[in-house]
Amino acid sequence: ALVHEVRAKECAPDLLRRAQPHRWPLPFVFLFGRKDLSLSLYALNIYVENIKYALETSRQARLLSGFFIMAITHTAKLDQRFEITVELARDVDPSAAFCTALTKHIVDKLRSVNMEYAKLHETIGRRAVPRVQLVDYGAVQTMPGRKHRWIKRT
């Protein structure tokens, strides 16, 4: 319990003081970590795990580095647009056919694992289809050790 209290004091002293942990029945957990790993598209959530699953299960998986970034942008008419930037593996050249096949696979997998997305796709059709952009190896901005942000907030 002492280790947890010391770490909590280091991380959030003001929060700890206001929370009065000495009054809580132990044990308790105070978690710090990554923030939300989802995007909101027309009021529904698209999760990073859904896209990871789609990319890992595609026929083209060996041609991908595994890095991608999801974003929501807006059209001139202020409609939301779902975009996914996917990094290719070393020495792989992008093609329109490759991009089309990958986009179809992503949509199929999203529809099977995310019921909200399936309903949205059924309702608005093509507007729910992500715009997939294939980029060369190393183009996805990473931090040292090849860590990156899954989601780009605009």
Side-chain angles (χ1 to χ4, degrees):
L2 182 59
V3 171
H4 298 293
E5 187 174 327
V6 169
R7 286 189 182 147
K9 284 180 182 177
E10 292 171 1
C11 296
D14 193 44
L15 180 61
L16 185 66
R17 188 184 74 252
R18 286 182 288 146
Q20 301 177 353
H22 60 279
R23 293 186 177 185
W24 298 355
L26 294 177
F28 73 93
V29 178
F30 192 175
L31 297 176
F32 288 94
R34 296 182 90 170
K35 292 188 177 180
D36 190 25
L37 291 175
S38 65
L39 283 180
S40 178
L41 176 66
Y42 292 106
L44 64 89
N45 291 321
I46 308 271
Y47 298 96
V48 168
E49 291 82 19
N50 298 158
I51 304 303
K52 277 187 192 178
Y53 172 71
L55 295 177
E56 290 170 355
T57 59
S58 74
R59 289 183 186 166
Q60 298 92 351
R62 63 182 173 72
L63 303 175
L64 306 173
S65 73
F67 290 110
F68 66 91
I69 298 173
M70 304 186 322
I72 300 294
T73 60
H74 294 88
T75 65
K77 293 182 178 182
L78 300 180
D79 287 329
Q80 290 184 334
R81 182 177 13 215
F82 179 27
E83 296 184 351
I84 307 172
T85 302
V86 180
E87 185 181 79
L88 297 169
R90 281 187 207 271
D91 304 321
V92 174
D93 294 322
S95 72
F98 180 18
C99 190
T100 301
L102 188 59
T103 301
K104 182 181 180 330
H105 182 77
I106 290 170
V107 169
D108 291 345
K109 291 302 176 186
L110 269 175
R111 290 177 70 196
S112 71
V113 299
N114 187 325
M115 291 301 113
E116 290 179 320
Y117 180 82
K119 182 66 175 168
L120 179 72
H121 188 269
E122 179 183 312
T123 305
I124 67 172
R126 286 187 7 207
R127 288 188 300 162
V129 174
R131 191 166 99 187
V132 175
Q133 178 185 8
L134 301 176
V135 296
D136 291 330
Y137 182 81
V140 170
Q141 296 296 316
T142 61
M143 295 181 282
R146 294 289 287 165
K147 276 187 125 180
H148 79 288
R149 297 189 190 277
W150 300 102
I151 297 174
K152 181 179 178 184
R153 305 271 183 210
T154 55

